[in-house]
Amino acid sequence: MKQDPVTAENPAPEKNRSARARVRTHHLQQAKDRGERFSMLTAYEQYAAEIFDEAGIEALLVGDSASNNVFGNETSLPVTVDELLPLCRSVARSVKRALVVADLPFGSYEVSPQQAVATGVRFLKEGLAHAVKIEGGSFYAETIRAMVEAGIPVVAHIGFTPQSEHSLGGYRVQGRGDAAQRLIDDAVALTEAGAFCILMEMVPAATAALVDAAIPVPTIGIGAGNATTGQVLVWQDMAGLRGGKMAKFVKQYANLRNVIAEAARTYADEVRSGQFPGPDHSY
Ligand code: KIV
């Protein structure tokens, strides 16, 4: 079909969302205000970041889940600031549009608000992150206030907080029954302290909906039902790169593990048989 010429009055239609302006914290707020939703995925390196950015994922999380998805640890606890910073820099340099949020790893913010500010500054300055995330409830209100005053946008992560796995007694749903009110109180306190977004993990959908309704800022859920403004998944889970048992809240949209394994097997077979490299791939 013939198309009208592109002029100032008749601009070219946007091909995809990555053609739009950079996503800022206020855009996530606008999403909540307008009743729209946004998506977030973890990313730990250049190509995943590029692909998700081009696919229109609004926010990328350089999660401390790099610990068990990049560095081979069993939990998120061992990963360090010095290990996460280069991953964060790689992601931030690779996106044109997505908001890049970095996790502050376990041990890098709990000691004092001053420690949290110092670590947050490193993630914005050396990691080129646009915002950071810390785990914990209203106990961290003072910490978040100090970080926000220092110019560091903060996402507060409540519900199941993996860095507290040992004190919470393992991976368990949080905010059931009477605990729902505590979660709401936490979210209100952290929002009042200046968190621009509340992330909830493994929380009953009904509790997450109450939390979302109790605060003006956007919420992001992972295993928290669909009343939150945004959703986040670990990308290797979402795309089926990781093997093994998945949490109930994970939906797999591809099976990259099979695709890559099949490519590797075919490559190895062709090398063994002498089929690769053939004339097309030789000088
Ligand atoms: O590090 C991470 O992947 C996270 C998600 C579970 C939200 O914090």
Side-chain angles (χ1 to χ4, degrees), residues 40 61 101-103 109 131-141 143-145 147-148 152-161 183 185-201 211 215 217-222 232:
M40 175 187 241
L61 173 66
V101 181
D103 257 335
Y109 61 93
V132 303
K133 171 165 84 61
I134 66 169
E135 296 185 4
S138 46
F139 178 77
Y140 285 99
T143 296
I144 289 180
R145 195 164 284 117
M147 295 172 83
V148 172
I152 304 164
V154 182
V155 176
H157 181 155
I158 60 172
F160 176 71
T161 45
L183 220 53
D185 294 344
D186 280 342
V188 169
L190 297 169
T191 303
E192 284 172 0
F196 76 88
C197 185
I198 301 290
L199 187 147
M200 287 178 271
E201 179 166 357
V211 170
I215 54 174
V217 302
T219 53
I220 302 178
I222 175 163
V232 60

Side-chain angles (χ1 to χ4, degrees), residues 16-32:
N16 58 43
R17 298 168 73 105
S18 62
R20 293 201 209 141
R22 206 167 250 302
V23 178
R24 306 274 185 179
T25 58
H26 67 266
H27 294 121
L28 304 189
Q29 181 64 53
Q30 279 167 8
K32 173 146 185 176

Side-chain angles (χ1 to χ4, degrees), residues 4-69:
D4 293 336
V6 173
T7 61
E9 295 72 39
N10 179 36
E14 282 177 357
K15 283 213 176 63
N16 58 43
R17 298 168 73 105
S18 62
R20 293 201 209 141
R22 206 167 250 302
V23 178
R24 306 274 185 179
T25 58
H26 67 266
H27 294 121
L28 304 189
Q29 181 64 53
Q30 279 167 8
K32 173 146 185 176
D33 297 343
R34 293 175 181 155
E36 296 168 0
R37 294 164 198 252
F38 64 86
S39 52
M40 175 187 241
L41 281 173
T42 64
Y44 315 101
E45 44 76 38
Q46 177 179 352
Y47 293 123
E50 251 175 47
I51 292 166
F52 301 150
D53 191 48
E54 286 167 9
I57 302 295
E58 283 88 353
L60 297 184
L61 173 66
V62 185
D64 57 353
S65 51
S67 184
N68 42 307
N69 286 286

Side-chain angles (χ1 to χ4, degrees), residues 110-129:
E110 295 87 341
V111 176
S112 64
Q114 291 73 18
Q115 186 203 23
V117 170
T119 310
V121 165
R122 286 196 71 190
F123 272 91
L124 265 60
K125 203 178 175 74
E126 299 172 45
L128 309 176

